[in-house]
Amino acid sequence: MSSPPVNSAAPLLEVRDLTKRFPVKTGFGRPVRQVHAVEKVSFSIAPGEVVGLVGESGSGKTTVGRTIMRLTEPTEGQILFDGTDIAHKGAREMLAFRRRIQMVFQDPFASLNPRARIGALIAEGMEIHRIGTARERAERLAELLDLVGLPPEAAGRYPHEFSGGQRQRIGIARALAVSPSLIVADEPVSALDVSVQAQVLNLLQDLKERLGLTILFIAHDLAVV
């Protein structure tokens, strides 16, 4: 399911026959069979479009998202991002693309380092990609916190001091920190209370319209999509 594309430009992301098989090995490390997690999946997303990837639990949705991010290596197929196949690029070549593709994870607590302050977690991507000076990063951090509806003092606190919905807002701010073109949102509200789900969905909708984001929205709930 998708919203109407903003324009008829070439796809920002095109997945062709994406396949991921996980080997099952014996105690001696010998592969005896393969688990077919994803088999021949193809779709495309135009710039500014939101596409819902829907399926029941265990159907391989998260594996598709992680493989697009290259957190999981594809077995076969192509992942064309802005016309370039990134399916088998090396770590150094992927660095530039990782700035343009970010992920919001399902579990907002497990995806945040419990020993790091929120400000450091959000700014980490800017430091890795050498975006701006220290002062500019601090200004960007304040802007991001305001963008996702969190107060400035949140930067000095730790993940356990926030509710589930607030932690997911932090995860969204962290994904937006490097100004990506594509967000892969992996079940971003499934771990949240129903009352909080609507708030986070409204936030994503607002950010999509304000920033012109392209989003792959992974979910098992058709009503959420």
Side-chain angles (χ1 to χ4, degrees):
M1 302 178 66
S2 65
S3 60
V6 173
N7 53 53
S8 58
L12 179 65
L13 176 72
E14 186 173 5
V15 174
R16 298 178 181 173
D17 295 327
L18 184 64
T19 297
K20 178 60 184 179
R21 306 185 189 104
F22 292 98
V24 178
K25 299 180 180 180
T26 66
F28 298 101
R30 292 181 301 177
V32 292
R33 63 186 179 90
Q34 291 185 323
V35 175
H36 293 241
V38 175
E39 196 72 27
K40 301 291 184 182
V41 170
S42 299
F43 61 88
S44 63
I45 308 178
E49 189 177 28
V50 179
V51 168
L53 180 60
V54 187
E56 61 188 20
S57 297
S59 62
K61 306 183 303 299
T62 292
T63 301
V64 170
R66 291 180 63 86
T67 304
I68 290 170
M69 293 291 301
R70 290 288 308 281
L71 299 175
T72 298
E73 292 300 314
T75 304
E76 297 173 9
Q78 294 179 295
I79 304 167
L80 299 170
F81 182 76
D82 210 7
T84 301
D85 188 1
I86 63 172
H88 303 287
K89 285 190 175 294
R92 182 171 294 182
E93 292 178 295
M94 276 301 298
L95 187 60
F97 287 97
R98 291 194 189 285
R99 177 176 175 177
R100 299 189 62 198
I101 311 173
Q102 289 290 304
M103 192 166 191
V104 176
F105 295 91
Q106 178 177 0
D107 187 338
F109 190 66
S111 64
L112 300 174
N113 183 348
R115 297 184 178 183
R117 296 181 191 271
I118 297 309
L121 289 171
I122 294 175
E124 183 180 21
M126 292 187 279
E127 294 172 1
I128 290 172
H129 293 283
R130 300 178 181 178
I131 299 173
T133 63
R135 180 176 180 176
E136 289 170 337
R137 289 196 291 268
E139 292 173 352
R140 174 66 172 159
L141 171 61
E143 177 186 322
L144 288 163
L145 288 172
D146 180 65
L147 197 61
V148 299
L150 292 173
E153 56 268 24
R157 295 160 61 186
Y158 293 92
H160 73 270
E161 299 180 67
F162 296 88
S163 67
Q166 289 174 323
R167 285 195 289 262
Q168 196 58 291
R169 289 172 184 268
I170 293 164
I172 293 170
R174 183 176 62 172
L176 294 176
V178 294
S179 302
S181 303
L182 172 69
I183 296 287
V184 177
D186 181 21
E187 299 267 14
V189 299
S190 64
L192 306 177
D193 293 338
V194 175
S195 59
V196 180
Q197 287 185 5
Q199 297 174 16
V200 174
L201 288 172
N202 287 337
L203 173 63
L204 286 170
Q205 177 76 13
D206 180 57
L207 292 173
K208 184 263 179 189
E209 294 175 357
R210 291 175 63 180
L211 305 177
L213 293 174
T214 304
I215 303 175
L216 173 61
F217 192 95
I218 299 171
H220 68 273
D221 188 342
L222 276 173
V224 168
V225 175

